[in-house]
Structures are given as structure tokens and as C-alpha cells.
Amino acid sequence: MRYLFLALTICIVIYSCKKSDGNTAPEIAFEKITAAVLTTNTTGVDAPPILTIKLKDEDGDIGFKAGKDTSYIYIKNLNVPPFIVDSFEFPSNLSAVAGRKMDVEVDIDISKKMKPSGARVDTFYFEVFVKDIAKNKSNVIKTNDPILLIRP
């Protein structure tokens, strides 16, 4: 009976120490927006707004892989209906860390997502999420700080 109990205890310990199945979703958090107040001039916007997010992924399947489906950053402009979601590729420097546990900051130029409504001053907010190569979707975040676009 002692041996049966010992064997059962060993089996439970081995089973509980089993590795993760690798189906982990990335996590993101809003960090900051640089150039949050923009002024247009004759050549366009003075400096593009850069959205910085904090990205954590346990299995590191983020970035670009040649000949494979890649992971993307998805951004929705909450200013102008119909609130279309558009995607961005991850920066190429993330490919160097792909395949390992990640805890990085990612900078995204969001100036292409700013479609003005025609008002003199527009306020922009964005929703952001990412999908990794395995198509696991992260949490959805909303930018805390507004971006103001001022036209003369």
C-alpha cells in the first residue's frame, strides 16, 4: 500500500509540473504618446505622433518571419466612423528576439491613422491590440492621452 501511495504521489507531481501548451496570448499596456499636440503646416504635420506600448509574450512568437504568416499590431481610430481597424507590421528589430520570452516596448507611427474630420481642432483616441503568429489575440487597450491635431 505504501508503494501505491508513493507511485500515485509521484504521478501527481509529474503531471502538475507539465509544461505549458504554448498557447499563450500576448499582453500589452499603454505607455505614452509623443507629439500629442500636432500642428499642420503647408508640408503636413510637424512631427509624427508615436504610440509606445509595452508588450509581453511568453512564447515570443511576435515579429516577421520570411515566407510565413506574421503577427500584427491592430489599431482602430475612435475619432471618425466607421471605426475601421487597420494593421501594422511589427518593427524589424523584434525579429531578433522572436522565439524567446519578450518584455519590450514597441513604437508605432500612427500619423497614417489620423483622418481629420474637417474641424479646426480634432481629438484622437485609439484602440490597440496585437495578434501573434499563432493568432492569439492580446488584450485591447485604449490610449489614455488624446492626440490633438490643430489646423491654422
Side-chain angles (χ1 to χ4, degrees), residues 19-139:
K19 280 190 168 185
S20 168
D21 61 1
N23 192 15
T24 58
E27 293 179 31
I28 60 172
F30 173 77
E31 285 292 309
K32 64 183 176 186
I33 293 179
T34 58
V37 178
L38 308 170
T39 306
T40 59
N41 56 37
T42 56
T43 60
V45 175
D46 290 338
I50 303 296
L51 169 65
T52 302
I53 60 172
K54 181 94 166 164
L55 169 67
K56 292 182 181 181
D57 191 37
E58 292 296 320
D59 51 359
D61 58 342
I62 296 286
F64 178 77
K65 290 188 177 181
K68 302 264 184 183
D69 199 1
T70 58
S71 55
Y72 291 96
I73 303 166
Y74 295 90
I75 296 181
K76 181 182 356 178
N77 182 345
L78 298 176
N79 184 47
V80 182
F83 310 122
I84 297 171
V85 176
D86 203 356
S87 62
F88 291 85
E89 288 185 5
F90 277 93
S92 59
N93 64 338
L94 284 183
S95 297
V97 294
R100 297 179 296 196
K101 186 176 180 178
M102 302 175 103
D103 189 356
V104 295
E105 287 187 354
V106 179
D107 293 332
I108 311 154
D109 176 358
I110 55 176
S111 60
K112 295 174 187 78
K113 300 297 143 217
M114 297 177 60
K115 295 183 173 81
S117 65
R120 186 176 169 282
V121 177
D122 275 331
T123 304
F124 292 88
Y125 289 94
F126 297 93
E127 279 186 355
V128 182
F129 66 92
V130 301
K131 283 189 180 178
D132 61 15
I133 292 173
K135 302 302 178 213
N136 296 316
K137 181 180 175 181
S138 74
N139 55 312

